[in-house]
Amino acid sequence: MEIIDNLNHYKIVFSHESVLIGNLKSLQVHFKLINGRFTTLKVTIDRGLKKVLYIVAPKNLSEDDVQEIGLQEWIVEHYTGLQDRSVKPVLQYFIVGEWTLLCCFPYGDLSSARIQIRNMTEELQNVPLKPDLAIYEDMSYLFKNDPANVASIEFYTFNEFISYNELSNETDNGTHYAQFYRRLRTISQVAIAHKVSPTFVRKNGQPLFFEKEHFIERVQISKRTYLGSEFDNKYVILCSFHSHDVHQTQHADVVLYSIISDGYMFEQYMVYLNPEITYIPAEVNADLIDHFKTILDLEKYEMRLSFKINSFQASRETGTYLLPQILNQSGGEVL
């Protein structure tokens, strides 16, 4: 695979073989990037060999985004040709006319392409957590050549991450943190695959996720954020789940508990989950409720739970806290 940085676009080349002009075919697809973002890709195939030759990607993508697209395994086939074909885990698929284009994770077991597509269509979650491929390969090489019993991984909360990296574009802070959590999960998976125990520590050396699979950070909001008329004249504790991978329902990276009074969010609790696990610990809610009993009059608050997995979106005003993202969804259920 070769990435060519042209003036107006990136060209991701998978093959330099000579091709008959009449066999060239371009497929345009709407590709999903990390954290719920989308971009348009132009995929050129060889119809005779049923092979992806190269992909043209927009210039406004980051180098990490382009690298990730190139590291996936791309397969093109007539839909009928997938009947008996087994492929690596399918991350995304596209049907363009007579052609089916598969974007597959290059690691993992082979299984029926038709069944994987059917399951994705029926929203049965069989797509594995998608690591950052570049990090996966680099860390695999490191663990193979420098084996260890424990991998010590530095962990930053959302605000620590922003401060440490001197991020200033508030609207991008959420995406940057999603990519950070994704890297943590990738390193964890590589470590576990090599029988190494991942250990997370704060910048001051304090170990995390030792007694519990989560820890809690309180965030005071200097400028209250209005969350919509559905919260007017109400006192609400809104629980929402956030992940770098919104195309699944099994896990979250951060759980937000937003305290809302008369439509405005004035305080928030960020619950950070151990990147090593792929489930949401049941004790998270119990821990927060016990805490709220000491600071809030729970008799006048209603508890709402947003079941949808949300992306990371930072506040536009300061970028120092995350938004629960309830304005564009059907709303949470009252417990």
Side-chain angles (χ1 to χ4, degrees):
M1 185 271 292
E2 178 186 8
I3 296 176
I4 301 173
D5 188 348
N6 291 319
L7 181 62
N8 298 317
H9 62 267
Y10 292 102
K11 187 175 182 180
I12 307 167
V13 181
F14 300 100
S15 174
H16 291 282
E17 297 177 18
S18 299
V19 181
L20 294 174
I21 297 298
N23 282 346
L24 293 178
K25 172 75 175 178
S26 291
L27 310 176
Q28 187 165 294
V29 300
H30 202 42
F31 186 81
K32 187 173 185 178
L33 298 163
I34 186 176
N35 206 17
R37 297 172 295 133
F38 285 89
T39 190
T40 299
L41 302 179
K42 183 177 166 184
V43 182
T44 298
I45 66 170
D46 183 327
R47 293 186 293 186
L49 297 176
K50 296 179 182 177
K51 185 176 184 179
V52 175
L53 301 176
Y54 60 87
I55 296 175
V56 173
K59 193 68 174 182
N60 61 1
L61 294 184
S62 70
E63 292 183 3
D64 287 341
D65 287 332
V66 177
Q67 182 78 6
E68 179 177 342
I69 293 169
L71 287 172
Q72 315 294 347
E73 185 173 310
W74 292 85
I75 297 170
V76 65
E77 181 62 89
H78 291 293
Y79 188 71
T80 54
L82 296 174
Q83 182 69 43
D84 300 313
R85 185 160 183 177
S86 293
V87 299
K88 300 286 181 59
V90 177
L91 307 180
Q92 299 182 54
Y93 73 95
F94 313 89
I95 299 176
V96 185
E98 62 182 315
W99 297 99
T100 298
L101 184 66
L102 305 179
C103 174
C104 301
F105 185 58
Y107 304 98
D109 298 329
L110 298 173
S111 62
S112 167
R114 288 284 292 272
I115 291 176
Q116 290 194 61
I117 291 174
R118 184 198 67 195
N119 287 348
M120 293 172 73
T121 303
E122 295 175 355
E123 296 183 350
L124 299 176
Q125 301 297 332
N126 70 341
V127 181
L129 182 65
K130 301 175 281 295
D132 184 308
L133 296 183
I135 294 177
Y136 197 100
E137 292 175 346
D138 290 345
M139 294 302 297
S140 293
Y141 178 83
L142 178 63
F143 282 124
K144 286 177 182 177
N145 290 276
D146 186 19
N149 294 323
V150 176
S152 183
I153 306 168
E154 201 163 61
F155 185 98
Y156 296 92
T157 66
F158 180 62
N159 278 291
E160 289 171 346
F161 180 79
I162 293 170
S163 299
Y164 181 76
N165 291 280
E166 298 181 349
L167 300 178
S168 58
N169 188 343
E170 290 81 5
T171 58
D172 289 339
N173 287 352
T175 297
H176 287 307
Y177 195 67
Q179 292 169 335
F180 168 70
Y181 232 103
R182 182 172 182 245
R183 289 195 292 271
L184 295 181
R185 286 191 176 274
T186 300
I187 295 171
S188 296
Q189 290 183 53
V190 179
I192 292 170
H194 288 82
K195 296 181 172 54
V196 176
S197 176
T199 301
F200 296 91
V201 296
R202 303 289 290 272
K203 191 171 178 59
N204 61 6
Q206 174 191 354
L208 292 173
F209 312 121
F210 181 69
E211 295 180 350
K212 293 186 177 183
E213 303 288 12
H214 68 278
F215 78 95
I216 301 167
E217 179 186 47
R218 180 189 180 196
V219 179
Q220 289 184 297
I221 300 172
S222 57
K223 183 178 179 181
R224 295 188 173 198
T225 300
Y226 184 64
L227 293 185
S229 59
E230 66 176 287
F231 297 105
D232 285 350
N233 303 313
K234 296 178 182 177
Y235 295 91
V236 177
I237 301 173
L238 177 64
C239 174
S240 58
F241 303 99
H242 300 257
S243 173
H244 75 266
D245 180 11
V246 297
H247 192 60
Q248 50 79 42
T249 57
Q250 285 90 353
H251 80 276
D253 299 323
V254 173
V255 183
L256 298 183
Y257 286 80
S258 303
I259 315 301
I260 304 167
S261 174
D262 196 22
Y264 287 86
M265 178 172 67
F266 65 91
E267 193 170 31
Q268 188 177 77
Y269 290 81
M270 293 185 177
V271 182
Y272 299 90
L273 301 184
N274 185 350
E276 184 181 348
I277 65 174
T278 54
Y279 60 90
I280 301 173
E283 66 267 20
V284 169
N285 194 58
D287 283 357
L288 265 297
I289 294 300
D290 287 344
H291 175 71
F292 293 147
K293 286 178 181 177
T294 65
I295 63 170
L296 298 173
D297 181 2
L298 290 185
E299 290 188 0
K300 70 177 183 180
Y301 276 86
E302 62 180 83
M303 185 78 179
R304 294 191 186 184
L305 180 62
S306 174
F307 290 98
K308 176 183 176 183
I309 297 293
N310 298 287
S311 60
F312 287 87
Q313 181 181 333
S315 61
R316 292 183 178 86
E317 292 84 0
T318 64
T320 57
Y321 60 91
L322 297 173
L323 296 176
Q325 298 176 296
I326 46 80
L327 297 179
N328 293 322
Q329 60 191 63
S330 59
E333 295 186 12
V334 179
L335 300 182

